[in-house]
Every structure is written in C-alpha cells, then in structure tokens.
Amino acid sequence: MAKRKREVGILPVDVDSSISEAYARASKHRSCWKHMFVSLYAHKKKISKRKAEELRRSFELTSKCFLGTFPSRERSKRRIKHKNKIAKVIKENKRLNSAEFDCYFQSLWKSFPEDKRTSFTYLDSMWFHLYMKAPFKGKVLTWIKRKQIFLKKYVLVPIVGWGHWSLLIFCHLGESSESKARTPCMLLLDSLAVADPRRLEPDIRKFVFDIYRSEGRSENRKLIYQIPLFLPKVPQQRNGEECGKYVLHFINLFVLGAPDDFSIKNYPYFMNQNWFSLECMERFSEELESFGK
C-alpha cells in the first residue's frame, strides 16, 4: 500500500521535559518560527534554506506560538504590552530575564552616537550560554564569525548563567600581542564579586580559543590562552536582583567612555569601585524604565 502523502502545513512540535535548558530558555523568544528552528537544532535535525524560509513565512503569517505565550495577532499591541511589562520589572527592581535584557540593550544601543558604535560590536546575550551546550556550539561560532569581531576595537559579550548577569569585553583581539597601545585583552565586569567571577575563566578561554580557530587565525594555542583577563573592582549591587541592570549600566558607561586605544599600561582607566554612585544607578534605572514605555 502506498504511503499516505503528508499534508502541507505546520509540523507538530513535541515539547517535553527532556529538552535541554538552552532550548527551554531560547523558547521564550516571541517569534514562533524561531521556536521551530531551536527545536530542530536541539534534536540535531538539518533543514534546507528553502525549507527554513517556508517555515519562517508560514509561522509568521499563520501560526500562533506553540508554547501559547505570545499570540500572533495584534502584533503592535503585543509589543506595547510587552514593553510596559518590562518597564514594570525595572520599576519593581526585579531580575531581568534574557528577553527583557535584550529589549533594553537594543534601545540602549540605538541611543549611542554613530561614531561610538563603529568601534564596537556585540554578541547576543544567549550566545555564550548556548555555546556551552554541545548541540549549539558550532552554530554559535558561525554566528560570531559573521560579526567580524577582529575588525572591531571592542566586543561586548553579556553573559548569563546560574541566574546571574556579568559582562565580558574583548579589547583589540585583532591586534598583535606585542602591541603596546592596542593590547589584546579581556575584561570581566561583575557586580557580585562574592560569587567568584574567576569561575568563568576556563570556559571563557575555551570560548575565545574556539573563536580564533573558527576564524582561521594564525595565533597558536599558547598565545591565545595568555591573553590577559582582567577583573576590575567595579561597583557592587545591593541585592540579588540588580545584576542585569548593572551590566546595562556598565555597557552604557564603557561605550561612552572607552579610550580610542585600550592599553594595559593605563588599566583600569575609569573602571573602579567608585566608577558611578548609587544616585547615578538610580537615574539610569529611571531611564531604562522610560525605554520600556
């Protein structure tokens, strides 16, 4: 008997408790077609570009979110409601999740002068987390390659893990290790020093090494692992919920104040425990709240 031809339409997705943490977090994304892509990658399935485009178009135009979180109708109203919800999170001093963080970061990024943005690029806040998951590692390195980070002076890498946010900054990775004025180095800014930020160093160094290798760079392993990683003594959060806002504030002040050429000789520049006051942090929180409206 001939096999029954499969009907054309939206493929059912089986969401069960065994799906990885990376998928569970990424599935909070509002665009339903991206849910499908994340599910496919989590189950190590490949699709053609044509099929991907068909899925994207079909999900965007016809399908509700299969997680039932964000309906596909009345998109503009949903965005307004979502932003108001995020503003409430800031106002009530609650911890930011990745979707809320990205919403604020994009508004913040657009507010920077064009001459500042040309010296910087950034990685998505979930990329480091996904890199740590084997099914996503290769894909994340491909995404990073498109960013051309070795052509930028600075690369902002928000990191979220164990319910805590910190900020990794790559400085002059494309320059020679022998350079004095533009020294390749990394900065790890953490508003909760008692949580031991150094615990991230082995994963960060492996991450950087894989980035170099994926780009086909000539630096050897020893040279890459010797890139300095600094932990400046930055202002510390007052409770366990403020880390996301502190990272956004670190980004804001670093982009506006970063030197044209980062030299280890002048480190830590403006980054110290008195970098900004509590009043400055509160004003910045008020600005973030306005971004969400």
Side-chain angles (χ1 to χ4, degrees):
M1 182 181 292
K3 291 183 178 180
R4 184 179 177 183
K5 187 176 181 181
R6 205 167 190 174
E7 295 181 1
V8 178
I10 303 304
L11 297 174
V13 179
D14 181 20
V15 181
D16 57 41
S17 59
S18 65
I19 295 178
S20 68
E21 178 187 357
Y23 168 64
R25 297 196 60 155
S27 66
K28 293 179 181 179
H29 198 288
R30 293 179 296 173
S31 301
C32 305
W33 62 275
K34 291 191 176 181
H35 291 169
M36 173 61 82
F37 290 161
V38 172
S39 178
L40 290 172
Y41 284 126
H43 292 85
K44 300 181 181 179
K45 296 180 180 179
K46 295 182 179 180
I47 56 176
S48 65
K49 290 184 178 179
R50 181 178 178 181
K51 183 63 177 178
E53 180 62 21
E54 289 175 356
L55 281 172
R56 183 192 67 79
R57 191 181 303 112
S58 180
F59 267 70
E60 281 190 325
L61 298 178
T62 66
S63 177
K64 295 176 70 174
C65 171
F66 65 75
L67 293 181
T69 306
F70 298 100
S72 59
R73 299 176 182 176
E74 299 183 359
R75 182 164 185 165
S76 60
K77 291 182 180 180
R78 183 183 71 234
R79 284 181 174 176
I80 294 172
K81 184 177 180 180
H82 181 65
K83 285 189 174 183
N84 287 340
K85 181 180 178 181
I86 296 176
K88 186 177 179 181
V89 170
I90 286 290
K91 189 173 183 179
E92 294 180 356
N93 199 30
K94 294 182 179 180
R95 183 179 298 162
L96 299 179
N97 63 35
S98 58
E100 294 160 349
F101 181 93
D102 288 339
C103 182
Y104 280 111
F105 175 80
Q106 290 301 324
S107 296
L108 186 62
W109 180 258
K110 292 175 183 177
S111 72
F112 295 138
E114 182 63 29
D115 63 320
K116 290 291 184 182
R117 284 186 288 173
T118 56
S119 298
F120 285 79
T121 191
Y122 59 88
L123 306 189
D124 186 276
S125 65
M126 287 298 296
W127 286 4
F128 185 84
H129 177 79
L130 291 175
Y131 163 83
M132 301 300 297
K133 308 295 180 180
F136 297 93
K137 179 178 177 179
K139 196 63 180 177
V140 169
L141 293 172
T142 299
W143 294 336
I144 294 174
K145 191 173 183 179
R146 295 171 185 164
K147 285 285 189 174
Q148 299 183 311
I149 66 174
F150 291 100
L151 299 180
K152 297 293 184 177
K153 293 181 179 179
Y154 302 104
V155 183
L156 305 171
V157 188
I159 293 178
V160 59
W162 301 282
H164 179 62
W165 289 94
S166 54
L167 177 64
L168 177 65
I169 304 176
F170 298 148
C171 305
H172 301 303
L173 285 192
E175 300 294 335
S176 168
S177 60
E178 298 178 358
S179 174
K180 300 299 182 183
R182 299 180 177 181
T183 312
C185 64
M186 300 179 288
L187 309 172
L188 182 57
L189 280 56
D190 197 313
S191 60
L192 194 62
V194 294
D196 186 21
R198 282 285 178 187
R199 75 190 187 283
L200 294 173
E201 184 171 0
D203 292 330
I204 289 173
R205 291 201 175 278
K206 188 175 185 302
F207 182 53
V208 173
F209 176 76
D210 284 341
I211 291 174
Y212 270 82
R213 292 282 71 82
S214 68
E215 293 273 4
R217 301 280 299 189
S218 60
E219 291 87 348
N220 60 44
R221 184 187 187 93
K222 182 178 179 180
L223 193 63
I224 295 171
Y225 270 79
Q226 287 179 343
I227 295 174
L229 174 62
F230 298 112
L231 276 71
K233 295 181 179 180
V234 295
Q236 299 293 285
Q237 62 194 71
R238 297 161 295 177
N239 57 52
E241 309 296 325
E242 297 180 311
C243 50
K245 290 185 289 183
Y246 268 76
V247 166
L248 288 167
H249 201 24
F250 291 152
I251 291 172
N252 182 50
L253 295 180
F254 187 87
V255 171
L256 296 177
D260 291 336
D261 299 317
F262 195 96
S263 171
I264 293 179
K265 180 180 179 181
N266 297 316
Y267 168 83
Y269 292 91
F270 45 81
M271 296 170 290
N272 54 57
Q273 57 189 2
N274 299 316
W275 188 0
F276 51 83
S277 65
L278 178 59
E279 290 74 18
C280 290
M281 186 66 208
E282 290 175 346
R283 286 197 299 271
F284 180 71
S285 295
E286 293 174 359
E287 292 175 5
L288 286 180
E289 183 182 342
S290 68
F291 283 159
K293 295 180 179 179

